[in-house]
Amino acid sequence: MTVRTRFAPSPTGLLHIGGVRTALFCWLYARRHGGVFILRVEDTDRERSTPEAVQVILDGMRWLGLDADEGPFYQTQRYPRYREVIREWLAAGKAYHCYCSKEELEAMRNAQLARKEKPRYDGRCRSRREPVAGVTPVVRFKNPLEGAVVVADAVHGDVVFQNSELDDLIIERSDGNPTYNFCVVVDDYDMKVTHVIRGDDHLNNTPRQMNMLRAMGVEPPVYAHLPMILGPDGTKLSKRHGAVSVLAYREEGYLPEALLNYLARLGWSHGDQEIFTLEEMTALFDIADVNKSASAINPDKLAWINQQHLMRLPPGKVVPELRWQLERLGVSAASDSMLESVVLAQRERSKTLKEMAEASRFFFEPPKDYEEKSARKHLTAEAAPVLEQSKAALRALVDWNPAPIHAAIQAQAEAGGLGLGKVAQPIRVAVSGGSVSPPIDQTLSILGRDETLARLERAIAYARR
RNA sequence: GCUCCCAUCGUCUAGAGGCCUAGGACACAGCCCUCUCAAGGCUGGUACGAGGGUUCGAAUCCCUCUGGGAGCGCCA
C-alpha cells in the first residue's frame, strides 16, 4: 500500500513555523516511502478564511520546495460530497437532527460546569421523533455510548479515550455548512490518507474522528501527533516572537534548506548530526525518531545552521537569493560570476543573506562616506604615503588576482618595516568605507583594478585634507 | 472543573536497565590561528523536577506529587 500523507492548513492566519514543520514531516514521510503528499486547504470557516492567506500558504510552500503531488484541494468545493455523506448517515441512523437552541445548550453547559463535570451534549435529541416548529436543526453524529477508543499513535504510543467522555458532535450547522471534524473525516477517507501527521493539539479530536471513520466503514489511518513548537521564551508562539509568515524568514535572509534543517531538528533527531541536506533528511527521516515534548525556537541556532548551509551550498545556489537581497537594498546586481565570488568571500562572515548583502554593498557602489571611527584611525596623514605607494604598486601589477595582490601589499609592509595590518587596514577603509571586509587581497580582486585605484585616490585626498 | 498529553544543561537534543563520574550542538568564557571581521581548532562551566517503589544495578520500568501544555464551540 502506498503511503499517502496530507498537510491541511486552514487559511485563517499565517503559515508560520509550526505549520511548516508539520508540512515538512508529512512531506518527508511521503518522500521517504515513495508515497504521495497531498495539500488540502481547510477553508470551511468562511468568516475568517481569506484568499490572501491561501496565497501565503501556496507561496510559502513553493519557496520551501515542499511540492504537493495532489491538490491543493479546497473543502469549500466539496460541500456536495459532505451533504451526501450526511444524508446517508441520517438515513442509516448514524446521525440525527438536533433542535436544541443555543440558549438550551448554554444552560446545559453551565449546569455541568457547576457540577464540576466536563461540559458536553447529553444527547437529548437522539430519540426525538418530530421536528420542532420554527427551528432549523443541526445534524449530530451518534457517537458510541460505551467502550473505548484506542489511538495507536506513532509518536505517543497507545492513548485510550472512553466513549463516555465524548459527545455527539455537530457535523452540519443550522446554516447547512459542514463542520471541521466531519470534513476532515470525509476527506481523509476519500483521499485515502494512510498517515495523519499533525500537531499535538489534535490528539483530543482523534477519537471522535476515528469513530466517524468507522461509521464510514473503514479502519482509521496511522496517526502521528507532533509536539508543539514554542516561542524562544518557552511560551506559545505569538505574533511577537516567531509566529510570522514563513516568507518573513526569506526577507530576513534565511535559506529554505536551513530553515527546513532547523525545523526538522525541533522534535526529530538522528544521533548527533546537526546539519542535513534535504536529501539526507529524506533518506533518514522516521516517525519513530520523533520525540514527544514541545520545543522552543532558538534564533541563534537557526542563524548558525543558516550559515552552515551558506558555507556548504555550491555558491551558484545562493546567488539568486543574494541578488534578491541586494535588489531589496536598491543595489542593482552584477554578473552571476561576480556574485559567486562575493558569496565565496562573504559566506563565512555572514549568518544571513541579508547581512551578506549589507556587508557587500561596497562591491557595487563606492562608500558614500567613511565610517567615522575607522577613518580617524586609518585614514591619517601618516597613512597617506603608505596608500600612495600601495596604489603605485597595485597599478603596476600585471596579474590582478588575490595572490599577486597579496604579494604586492606584503612587499609594501616589508619595505616600510610595518605589520601587514598597517597597510591592509587603510586600504580596507579606503575601498569599503569601514574596517571590516573579507581578506584584503580577495576584496581588491573582486572589486577590480580600476575601482580599487579610484577609491585609493579618493582616500589619499581625504587623508591629506 | 473534567479528559488527554509532556518532563535530561539557558535552549535544541543523545540516551530504549549496567557502555553515563550523562554525550553532541547553539549560546557564553578563555586560549590558538590571524591584515579586520569571521570561519576553524582546543579548553571550561552548567542538566536527568521531587518523593516513593521494582532490581544486584535506574536518566532509562511502575506509582504519587509538582510543574507545563492541549482539548472540552453551530472555530479550525
Side-chain angles (χ1 to χ4, degrees):
Chain A
M1 187 173 65
T2 75
V3 166
R4 296 173 62 86
T5 64
R6 81 325 191 257
F7 175 53
S10 73
T12 53
L14 298 159
L15 174 57
H16 59 70
I17 285 242
V20 171
R21 208 270 307 261
T22 302
L24 171 64
F25 283 16
C26 291
W27 186 90
L28 284 174
Y29 194 75
R31 288 287 169 274
R32 168 82 171 81
H33 294 93
V36 173
F37 173 61
I38 301 163
L39 177 60
R40 182 170 82 216
V41 179
E42 310 214 322
D43 54 354
T44 51
D45 184 350
R46 313 191 104 149
E47 303 281 301
R48 296 192 300 149
S49 298
T50 64
E52 292 74 32
V54 171
Q55 199 53 49
V56 168
I57 291 168
L58 266 23
D59 291 347
M61 297 289 281
R62 186 204 311 268
W63 176 64
L64 292 163
L66 300 179
D67 48 309
D69 301 302
E70 293 180 18
F73 298 109
Y74 296 87
Q75 289 186 325
T76 45
Q77 291 174 5
R78 289 174 45 77
Y79 279 21
R81 171 57 178 152
Y82 303 136
R83 294 215 177 87
E84 178 185 39
V85 176
I86 287 169
R87 274 199 305 274
E88 279 172 22
W89 284 10
L90 246 13
K94 293 173 179 173
Y96 61 94
H97 289 292
C98 168
Y99 293 85
C100 294
S101 66
K102 289 188 180 175
E103 293 70 31
E104 196 174 349
L105 262 18
E106 185 63 26
M108 191 190 304
R109 201 187 330 275
N110 291 146
Q112 286 161 335
L113 250 15
R115 271 179 270 132
K116 304 197 170 189
E117 288 171 14
K118 175 199 258 187
R120 58 193 205 281
Y121 183 65
D122 65 5
R124 60 181 63 173
C125 285
R126 268 191 180 223
S127 54
R128 192 193 294 271
R129 319 242 36 187
E130 298 303 317
V132 175
V135 179
T136 34
V138 298
V139 177
R140 288 185 186 269
F141 170 69
K142 253 187 207 170
N143 195 78
L145 267 9
E146 290 170 354
V149 184
V150 180
V151 181
D153 193 276
V155 346
H156 291 273
D158 286 359
V159 183
V160 182
F161 294 86
Q162 296 302 320
N163 273 321
S164 56
E165 290 293 333
L166 273 25
D167 65 358
D168 294 344
L169 77 163
I170 293 172
I171 59 178
E172 186 182 277
R173 305 182 177 99
S174 51
D175 65 3
N177 289 321
T179 58
Y180 166 77
N181 276 110
F182 172 72
C183 296
V184 167
V185 165
V186 176
D187 288 347
D188 285 343
Y189 172 87
D190 285 352
M191 296 170 192
K192 300 183 165 51
V193 171
T194 60
H195 296 258
V196 171
I197 301 169
R198 73 217 317 186
D200 244 354
D201 48 342
H202 289 285
L203 185 52
N204 288 294
N205 286 330
T206 307
R208 299 168 179 287
Q209 293 184 6
M210 288 174 70
N211 282 334
M212 288 192 280
L213 245 1
R214 285 180 174 138
M216 297 205 72
V218 286
E219 268 310 289
V222 173
Y223 290 96
H225 287 95
L226 274 20
M228 298 279 92
I229 292 181
L230 310 172
D233 61 354
T235 66
K236 203 163 130 193
L237 274 179
S238 73
K239 290 257 163 51
R240 281 196 62 75
H241 56 231
V244 294
S245 162
V246 259
L247 294 171
Y249 285 88
R250 183 185 189 204
E251 291 173 10
E252 287 306 306
Y254 293 94
L255 293 163
E257 291 86 344
L259 186 58
L260 260 15
N261 183 165
Y262 177 70
L263 257 17
R265 285 287 290 100
L266 244 33
W268 174 80
S269 60
H270 183 258
D272 287 338
Q273 189 171 345
E274 297 285 354
I275 305 299
F276 297 85
T277 63
L278 213 46
E279 293 68 40
E280 286 175 309
M281 281 194 271
T282 305
L284 265 16
F285 183 77
D286 191 341
I287 293 178
D289 297 320
V290 172
N291 69 211
K292 301 187 242 205
S293 51
S295 43
I297 285 179
N298 182 341
D300 285 332
K301 186 149 183 180
L302 170 59
W304 177 78
I305 286 184
N306 198 55
Q307 179 167 35
Q308 293 300 311
H309 280 270
L310 281 174
M311 291 191 297
R312 289 166 204 229
L313 239 36
K317 287 268 200 183
V318 339
V319 164
E321 286 291 308
L322 176 61
R323 185 185 294 283
W324 185 74
Q325 288 287 348
L326 284 166
E327 279 163 5
R328 282 165 56 80
L329 292 175
V331 176
S332 51
S335 69
D336 278 5
S337 67
M338 175 170 178
L339 285 180
E340 277 194 32
S341 308
V342 172
V343 169
L344 252 13
Q346 294 284 37
R347 63 186 184 178
E348 63 201 30
R349 64 205 92 240
S350 309
K351 297 275 193 205
T352 67
L353 286 149
K354 190 180 182 185
E355 280 179 23
M356 188 186 283
E358 282 161 357
S360 300
R361 285 191 83 129
F362 76 88
F363 281 119
F364 310 97
E365 54 191 29
K368 286 184 184 61
D369 37 43
Y370 302 113
E371 185 193 295
E372 198 193 320
K373 206 175 150 193
S374 308
R376 209 180 325 122
K377 185 166 180 194
H378 299 294
L379 298 185
T380 58
E382 301 78 66
V386 177
L387 286 168
E388 190 73 61
Q389 285 151 23
S390 300
K391 193 183 101 184
L394 289 167
R395 187 199 301 282
L397 276 184
V398 181
D399 182 15
W400 191 260
N401 273 307
I405 291 170
H406 184 82
I409 292 173
Q410 182 87 49
Q412 286 305 309
E414 280 162 14
L418 302 165
L420 196 50
K422 288 285 181 204
V423 183
Q425 276 307 82
I427 297 177
R428 175 169 281 117
V429 178
V431 300
S432 77
S435 58
V436 176
S437 90
I440 199 65
D441 46 3
Q442 261 187 73
T443 301
L444 300 189
S445 168
I446 293 170
L447 200 54
R449 188 200 312 258
D450 292 348
E451 193 59 32
T452 298
L453 297 180
R455 292 187 193 182
L456 285 175
E457 185 64 48
R458 217 163 61 119
I460 291 164
Y462 178 93
R464 287 192 173 134
R465 81 206 177 287

